[in-house]
């Protein structure tokens, strides 16, 4: 089950540490410089994570070290072959939301075979999933990722570097798709398989699926 992600926010008391990824308390303090008349305040701050004891550094309300931005971590059940592009998108998002969106589109394309599709054409794969009864909300999440990702590769009406929030939502949408299409079926199957064998056989007999 995906845990809620709390992004790093300036002067926030708790968030997911970008260094250890743990949701932990943060201790903040301003950084000062020594001048001819004593110590002077600057626009620099540091926060210390109470879990890993490491520091993040901020300037003018923005995190500058590490450079990772406030986007979601990959879902724990995300297939391994989808992770490199997802994590690279997290690394480059601050500098180029458009590049991040293009990487996430590739991550989505790699995800499609895990949903039972070819992965050759995302639009065709979504159409196929819809014909198999895909819930509308998942279709909309997939099409959001497809359209925004396409705008990254072929610039259209959405200028991603000017509207980074649009690209930022891609991380959340892909995690949602993994949660709905991979995690929940696995959890339900595990519960069903835990039923007594005789009960499962009776269910299969009722459904006409006895082998």
């Amino acid at each position: 089950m995906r845990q809620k992600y709390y992004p790093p926010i300036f002067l926030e008391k708790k968030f997911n540490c970008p260094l250890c990824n743990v949701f932990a308390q943060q201790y903040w303090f301003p950084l000062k410089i020594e001048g001819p008349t004593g110590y002077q305040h600057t626009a620099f701050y540091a926060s210390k994570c109470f879990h890993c004891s490491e520091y993040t550094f901020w300037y003018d309300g923005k995190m500058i070290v590490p450079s990772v931005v406030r986007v979601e971590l990959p879902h724990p059940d995300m297939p391994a072959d989808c992770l490199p592009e997802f994590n690279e998108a997290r690394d480059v998002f601050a500098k180029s939301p458009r590049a991040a969106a293009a990487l996430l589109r590739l991550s989505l394309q790699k995800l499609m075979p895990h949903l039972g599709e070819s992965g050759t054409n995302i639009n065709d794969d979504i159409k196929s999933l819809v014909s198999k009864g895909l819930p509308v909300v998942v279709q909309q999440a997939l099409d959001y990722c497809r359209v925004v990702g396409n705008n990254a590769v072929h610039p259209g009406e959405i200028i991603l570097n000017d509207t980074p929030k649009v690209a930022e939502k891609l991380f959340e949408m892909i995690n949602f798709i993994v949660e709905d299409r991979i995690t929940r079926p696995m959890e339900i199957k595990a519960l069903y398989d835990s039923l007594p064998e005789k009960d499962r056989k009776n269910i299969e007999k009722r459904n006409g699926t006895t082998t």
Side-chain angles (χ1 to χ4, degrees):
M1 181 70 67
R2 177 166 63 108
Q3 299 297 315
K4 183 172 175 58
Y5 176 72
Y6 295 89
I9 296 176
F10 185 57
L11 296 181
E12 191 69 34
K13 293 181 179 179
K14 291 183 179 181
F15 52 70
N16 282 85
C17 172
L19 298 169
C20 70
N21 295 329
V22 172
F23 178 68
Q25 187 173 352
Q26 305 292 322
Y27 174 67
W28 290 89
F29 51 94
L31 300 181
K32 303 177 183 179
I33 58 173
E34 186 176 7
T37 59
Y39 287 98
Q40 299 175 349
H41 285 280
T42 70
F44 287 92
Y45 274 76
S47 64
K48 181 179 180 180
C49 173
F50 273 45
H51 181 264
C52 67
S53 297
E54 295 293 335
Y55 294 88
T56 58
F57 295 92
W58 301 66
Y59 175 73
D60 198 23
K62 298 179 181 179
M63 187 170 63
I64 56 174
V65 178
S67 60
V68 150
V69 291
R70 306 177 310 198
V71 292
E72 289 201 14
L73 296 167
H75 193 290
D77 292 326
M78 184 173 292
D81 60 335
C82 304
L83 287 172
E85 288 77 18
F86 191 98
N87 286 326
E88 186 177 352
R90 293 185 78 245
D91 290 339
V92 304
F93 182 83
K95 295 180 175 63
S96 175
R98 181 184 172 199
L103 286 164
L104 290 173
R105 182 187 181 280
L106 180 55
S107 182
L108 177 67
Q109 191 158 0
K110 287 186 172 184
L111 180 62
M112 299 309 285
H114 297 279
L115 307 186
E117 303 303 325
S118 68
T120 303
N121 183 292
I122 295 176
N123 196 42
D124 290 344
D125 287 344
I126 295 173
K127 180 180 179 180
S128 175
L129 287 168
V130 169
S131 72
K132 298 173 184 176
L134 183 74
V136 172
V137 67
V138 183
Q139 169 259 306
Q140 291 174 343
L142 284 165
D143 276 319
Y144 180 90
C145 296
R146 177 184 64 84
V147 172
V148 174
N150 284 346
N151 270 272
V153 181
H154 308 290
E157 295 180 2
I158 304 173
I159 304 174
L160 295 176
N161 284 346
D162 293 343
T163 54
K165 194 71 178 178
V166 173
E168 183 181 332
K169 281 293 180 180
L170 284 173
F171 296 91
E172 181 181 335
M173 290 295 97
I174 290 179
N175 277 337
F176 166 75
I177 294 162
V178 172
E179 173 77 18
D180 190 273
R181 297 287 91 189
I182 295 178
T183 302
R184 289 181 181 174
M186 285 195 308
E187 291 175 344
I188 293 170
K189 185 179 185 305
L191 288 172
Y192 182 81
D193 290 345
S194 70
L195 293 174
E197 184 178 3
K198 65 180 181 63
D199 292 310
R200 285 187 279 115
K201 287 187 177 296
N202 286 335
I203 293 170
E204 291 169 0
K205 182 178 180 181
R206 179 201 67 191
N207 294 342
T209 56
T210 304
T211 56

